[in-house]
Amino acid sequence: MDQRHITRALNTLAKRDDDVREALSAYGKPKPRIRPEGFETFVNTVVAQQISIHAANAINGRIRKLLPRLTPRSLMKASDEDLRAAGLSFRKIEYLRGLADAELSGRLGIKRLGELKDEEAIERIVQLRGFGRWTAEIYLMFSLGRRDIFPADDLALRVAL
């Protein structure tokens, strides 16, 4: 979703909802959160699960230093010790190796996710250990630009709403 689409959609909502209108007046419109499609975005999403954005950025920086070309193959070649030293937990290493294996074997097909209907793409992603519906919906929204997706189970969004 680009800034033009966000502005148009929020202006439409603001005409119908006083709370949205007040929030827009007080805080302005959010900037788009566009992420590239691909393996690295999935890795970044796993790294960021349940930690602060600052911690995730630091770990992602160390991973990029360890694996300048972050691919399923390069991740599979990295040792658990090196990935742990970059800041990944054993569980996240397990999830990332599962992601890499699914991509290498063709079970995931990241490049083809954009060709699938929303529910088909979500189903493909959630088959991976450590990847729930929230992760799939976030990927569809921010990487594939799907406009009719909303991570309804996102605790922060639910509290804010």
Side-chain angles (χ1 to χ4, degrees):
M1 238 184 278
D2 61 18
Q3 192 65 53
R4 190 174 49 109
H5 178 79
I6 291 170
T7 298
R8 189 172 53 244
L10 286 174
N11 285 342
T12 299
L13 288 172
K15 289 176 186 174
R16 298 178 181 171
D17 188 290
D18 292 339
D19 292 330
V20 171
R21 184 172 38 259
E22 287 178 32
L24 287 174
S25 176
Y27 302 106
K29 294 172 184 76
K31 293 188 184 326
R33 292 184 62 194
I34 300 169
R35 297 177 183 165
E37 292 180 45
F39 181 75
E40 190 168 341
T41 294
F42 276 103
V43 170
N44 293 339
T45 302
V46 170
V47 169
Q49 289 174 348
Q50 300 181 356
I51 61 175
S52 75
I53 190 72
H54 299 295
N57 288 340
I59 293 168
N60 280 319
R62 290 192 293 268
I63 290 171
R64 280 189 204 90
K65 190 178 275 187
L66 174 67
L67 304 170
R69 191 159 183 281
L70 182 53
T71 65
R73 201 163 259 103
S74 69
L75 190 126
M76 292 299 270
K77 288 181 181 178
S79 71
D80 285 356
E81 293 77 21
D82 286 343
L83 294 171
R84 286 282 297 141
L88 291 171
S89 67
F90 286 117
R91 182 71 65 209
K92 287 185 181 183
I93 292 169
E94 174 190 344
Y95 296 162
L96 292 177
R97 290 201 189 283
L99 167 69
D101 180 63
E103 185 60 15
L104 289 169
S105 71
R107 288 189 328 271
L108 179 57
I110 293 171
K111 290 181 181 175
R112 294 185 312 275
L113 290 174
E115 300 167 11
L116 302 176
K117 293 180 181 179
D118 294 344
E119 283 305 316
E120 293 171 326
I122 290 168
E123 186 61 32
R124 177 92 45 101
I125 295 166
V126 301
Q127 295 300 312
L128 302 171
R129 185 163 161 73
F131 290 79
R133 187 169 183 90
W134 179 88
T135 302
E137 290 169 339
I138 292 297
Y139 187 80
L140 267 64
M141 282 174 47
F142 298 131
S143 296
L144 298 182
R146 301 290 174 90
R147 295 179 177 170
D148 198 21
I149 295 286
F150 185 79
D153 291 335
D154 186 301
L155 182 59
L157 287 174
R158 293 176 72 158
V159 169
L161 288 172

